[in-house]
Amino acid sequence: MRNAFADELTKLGNEDSRVVMLSGDIGNRLFDKFKDKHPSRFFNCGVAEANMMGVAAGMAMNGLRPVAYTITPFVTTRCLEQIRTDVCYHEAPVTIVAVGAGLAYSGLGPTHHACEDISFLRSIPNMVVICPGDAFEVRGALRAAMQQDRPVYIRMGKKGEPVVHKGPIADFKIGKAITIEEGSDVCLLSTGNMLPEAIEAAHKLKEKGISAEVVSFHTVKPLDEDKLKQAFARFKLVATIEEHSLIGGFGAAVSEWLADTETQHKKFLRFGTPDAFFKKSGEQEYAREVLGLTGHQIADKIIHALN
Amino acid sequence: MNVAVRSTANAPDAAALKAQAARLRGKIIEMSHKAQAAHLASSLSCADVLTAAYWHVLNIDPGKPADPLRDRFILSKGHAAAALFATLAMKGYFPIEELDTYCQDGGRLAEHPPANLLPGVEAATGSLGHGLPLGCGMALAGRIKGESFRVFALLSDGENNEGSVWEAAMFAAAQKLENVCVVVDYNKWQATARSNETLMLAPLRDKWAAFGWDAHEIDGHDVGALAEAMQNIPNGSGKPVALIAHTVKGKGVSFMEDDNNWHYRAPTAEEVVKANKELGLA
Ligand SMILES: Cc1ncc(C[n+]2csc(CCOP(=O)(O)OP(=O)(O)O)c2C)c(N)n1
């Protein structure tokens, strides 16, 4: 996702002279092309994320389209006050791009995990929250964000994730979920970098004769309410899947929607991370296995819930 | 006042410390190779500071990691965790064999120092800019409880970008936290660029002095000098002390020195052999 972001950003920078890139001293070489073409519109803001976010807001309030980028906790929780007050309160069109969402950087330990950011950011007025499911969704989200006149948060995984879409998504729309695989028994609503696990779960379910629809629910705020209505009306089980805390994340947003709209539904499961820091050493695959977030574990729990 | 018996202020044995620093570097390189983990150059950069602290300065007993009177050492630049883990294991806080579990599934040694998990680790770090505020709190706790332990915080130069560092600096000066010592690993590199081309740190000693600290420049690879300066805390100035330690990122291995590719790169088996030779360990 990371390389797709840098590449799409360079293209956007060529097309639109308002695009400015701010990085928090990470992404060695990642932005070389952007820097080459637009040296006056690239800033390494150092290890000073609060300042970076304030600077981005100031630029956006004066006609520019800044993109502020670093590792997820540092571009969200580290500068939350600046996001809330400088960016969102002013409705400044800053695009915040985070790398290493959820447990993507599991091996770096809890200081680098990010399982609370959706919760914090979606509670701030004026903020849009997008969690792309693959590299093409990253490209679509970034392009769509630039066409908005408001703050947008894009939560990416890392690099080298499986690519799910076959090519560029022509009609990527903020707030419009994308059906990846059609199904008839259960519906898996996945957000962000869990999409490959959701697809894997669907395949495991198919082996057991259960037909699963897989949806990349890339926008957590605003929710695609039409999609939710259809899903809860049609399927005997709906599950939300995310690499984020069950508190305040995508599943929580859907629960709130269910309660607020008094939507009748059958079974509803939420997959996400627990209310605990993941302290063990180990990479993302290991962390997912321990937390029951791999495709086969998701499938098993769904089968259990259906019985 | 509860004063711990401090190791007698012997003059540091510079030659012995130097040999120890070489062994520490060897261990760090071995860990980085086995785990193929990043931040090797960052760890080598501060190996002499850690050696001076743990093999001469700190009033600590690895058998009693929770002793309330122990000196506190906070690796605020948490990405140099390999250096801290190797140091703690060599000091006997946990078995040296546990270093083989660095970055392995299910272990205690992730890539940054953990909270409440590993004996000897005073605070979870890895998000830069947290160590000094924590250290100020620890020092004040000591003052309030009548315990005269000292607090050392090792910061990277890039970490000096963070506003929280300077908030703590002004706080410590106002509170006259003379038991607090900051060592800045001033290797002039950050993750992706030269430090002074990223944010203007220079003149760094003057900045700390202007913030109310007793600030000194020091050769960050002169273990003996480091040991002496740190042992001397509190130094009678009535102020917190900042040691601006001039260092070389990747210090100790010629082909890593001042080459910031080693911020992310890990060595091959061949490179490990070469490095050990240079360190006089082969
Ligand atoms: C708050 C925060 N922002 C960003 C990072 C990512 N990061 C890790 S190390 C580093 C900079 C490394 O340079 P420096 O701090 O000077 O340490 P050195 O490795 O050169 O000793 C950065 C930006 C972080 N760990 N914490």
Side-chain angles (χ1 to χ4, degrees):
Chain A
M1 292 195 200
R2 199 176 69 177
N3 297 342
F5 159 63
D7 185 57
E8 199 66 25
L9 178 85
T10 307
K11 289 184 190 153
L12 285 160
N14 299 344
E15 295 162 20
D16 185 345
S17 62
R18 298 173 306 164
V19 174
V20 179
M21 176 65 205
L22 307 174
S23 164
D25 193 26
I26 69 153
N28 200 19
R29 300 268 151 82
L30 190 60
F31 302 112
D32 279 0
K33 280 203 183 122
F34 187 98
K35 280 195 246 184
D36 273 356
K37 290 224 168 105
H38 314 291
S40 65
R41 289 193 271 133
F42 177 87
F43 297 91
N44 178 1
C45 294
V47 199
E49 297 81 5
N51 178 64
M52 174 167 78
M53 200 55 71
V55 169
M59 287 176 166
M61 287 154 74
N62 285 274
L64 298 181
R65 288 312 175 93
V67 175
Y69 168 82
T70 184
I71 304 171
T72 310
F74 312 138
V75 80
T76 58
T77 45
R78 184 58 183 257
C79 49
L80 196 58
E81 167 92 1
Q82 279 74 16
I83 294 174
R84 175 184 173 272
T85 302
D86 301 346
V87 177
C88 290
Y89 185 24
H90 291 95
E91 295 181 59
V94 173
T95 301
I96 300 169
V97 180
V99 68
L103 298 163
Y105 291 150
S106 173
L108 296 177
T111 54
H112 286 61
H113 300 167
C115 297
E116 311 89 11
D117 53 306
I118 296 177
S119 171
F120 287 127
L121 269 74
R122 80 180 177 88
S123 69
I124 306 176
N126 297 328
M127 183 57 97
V128 167
V129 177
I130 311 177
C131 312
D134 80 346
F136 284 113
E137 290 192 16
V138 167
R139 290 178 188 271
L142 190 64
R143 221 152 246 285
M146 288 295 161
Q147 280 152 20
Q148 299 273 305
D149 232 345
R150 58 189 297 187
V152 177
Y153 173 50
I154 300 176
R155 179 189 204 252
M156 297 194 297
K158 47 185 178 185
K159 61 170 181 180
E161 289 101 340
V163 176
V164 173
H165 294 275
K166 300 210 164 52
I169 309 162
D171 56 346
F172 185 98
K173 265 221 187 89
I174 292 175
K176 188 145 185 10
I178 304 171
T179 302
I180 304 289
E181 289 182 11
E182 309 251 357
S184 53
D185 297 322
V186 304
C187 183
L188 310 180
L189 306 175
S190 168
T191 202
N193 53 349
M194 285 296 283
L195 188 56
E197 301 291 354
I199 293 169
E200 162 86 8
H203 294 168
K204 293 273 181 241
L205 288 168
K206 198 170 179 189
E207 286 168 16
K208 302 279 172 191
I210 299 164
S211 164
E213 179 143 320
V214 179
V215 178
S216 180
F217 217 102
H218 52 71
T219 309
V220 174
K221 184 188 176 186
L223 288 171
D224 183 344
E225 298 194 52
D226 289 340
K227 195 74 171 187
L228 290 179
K229 263 182 224 154
Q230 288 165 19
F232 283 104
R234 242 184 91 200
F235 296 95
K236 56 186 171 201
L237 183 150
V238 175
T240 56
I241 301 173
E242 65 197 304
E243 200 164 79
H244 182 280
S245 174
L246 290 170
I247 299 174
F250 170 50
V254 173
S255 309
E256 290 160 11
W257 179 86
L258 279 175
D260 294 346
T261 55
E262 298 180 35
T263 298
Q264 295 298 312
H265 62 91
K266 300 179 191 102
K267 291 206 157 106
F268 175 44
L269 290 184
R270 299 192 297 139
F271 292 91
T273 60
D275 185 18
F277 289 106
F278 188 81
K279 287 197 197 179
K280 288 191 172 96
S281 168
E283 292 304 327
Q284 187 176 26
E285 276 168 44
Y286 169 75
R288 283 184 177 173
E289 195 81 41
V290 171
L291 298 175
L293 291 176
T294 62
H296 68 94
Q297 290 166 308
I298 290 169
D300 286 348
K301 274 196 198 138
I302 288 173
I303 292 163
H304 186 78
L306 286 173
N307 289 333
Chain B
M1 180 73 37
N2 250 332
V3 184
V5 193
R6 207 161 268 162
S7 52
T8 43
N10 291 331
D13 178 346
L17 287 174
K18 240 178 129 171
Q20 175 53 45
R23 285 193 293 276
L24 177 58
R25 286 195 164 88
K27 203 73 205 164
I28 294 167
I29 291 165
E30 180 192 323
M31 289 166 70
S32 167
H33 166 65
K34 266 196 201 153
Q36 288 294 299
H39 303 136
L40 172 56
S42 316
S43 301
L44 296 177
S45 180
C46 60
D48 297 303
V49 176
L50 283 161
T51 302
Y54 280 87
W55 277 272
H56 184 75
V57 176
L58 297 176
N59 172 41
I60 46 172
D61 177 355
K64 287 193 241 158
D67 181 354
L69 299 184
R70 73 194 184 279
D71 284 342
R72 271 57 163 183
F73 183 93
I74 304 166
L75 182 76
S76 194
K77 52 171 285 187
H79 59 283
L84 181 67
F85 294 158
T87 297
L88 294 177
M90 287 171 127
K91 287 298 291 184
Y93 281 93
F94 52 85
I96 196 94
E97 297 77 40
E98 191 170 349
L99 293 178
D100 294 336
T101 70
Y102 177 52
C103 299
Q104 301 302 306
D105 290 352
R108 297 195 291 180
L109 309 180
E111 278 181 70
H112 291 92
N116 307 332
L117 191 66
L118 198 64
V121 174
E122 296 288 357
T125 51
S127 176
L128 294 164
H130 289 251
L132 187 53
L134 287 169
C136 289
M138 293 177 188
L140 276 177
R143 180 183 285 177
I144 290 165
K145 292 162 76 179
E147 298 161 353
S148 70
F149 58 81
R150 304 176 296 176
V151 180
F152 295 87
L154 174 57
L155 277 61
S156 58
D157 52 13
E159 188 169 13
N160 281 250
N161 292 175
E162 288 286 2
S164 56
V165 169
W166 299 101
E167 293 174 25
M170 290 184 278
F171 180 80
Q175 297 299 331
K176 301 190 173 56
L177 295 179
E178 59 173 0
N179 279 8
V180 171
C181 174
V182 156
V183 182
V184 179
D185 182 358
Y186 195 9
N187 58 31
K188 286 82 178 178
W189 277 113
Q190 304 197 177
T192 63
R194 282 281 180 198
S195 307
N196 283 305
E197 290 165 14
T198 309
L199 300 195
M200 185 53 78
L201 298 178
L204 193 54
R205 191 209 69 87
D206 294 358
K207 278 203 176 70
W208 282 89
F211 274 65
W213 287 55
D214 185 33
H216 302 271
E217 295 187 77
I218 190 167
D219 176 349
H221 300 305
D222 183 339
V223 220
L226 284 166
E228 231 166 289
M230 291 165 76
Q231 179 59 27
N232 203 25
I233 305 295
N235 68 1
S237 66
K239 296 175 178 179
V241 176
L243 300 175
I244 311 304
H246 291 280
T247 51
V248 174
K249 205 158 168 173
K251 176 73 182 180
V253 181
S254 60
F255 56 91
M256 296 180 191
E257 286 188 1
D258 207 35
D259 175 358
N260 211 31
N261 284 314
W262 292 94
H263 184 83
Y264 295 108
R265 258 204 72 184
T268 62
E270 238 169 77
E271 286 165 336
V272 172
V273 173
K274 266 203 214 163
N276 280 335
K277 244 185 220 145
E278 289 193 19
L279 290 166
L281 300 171

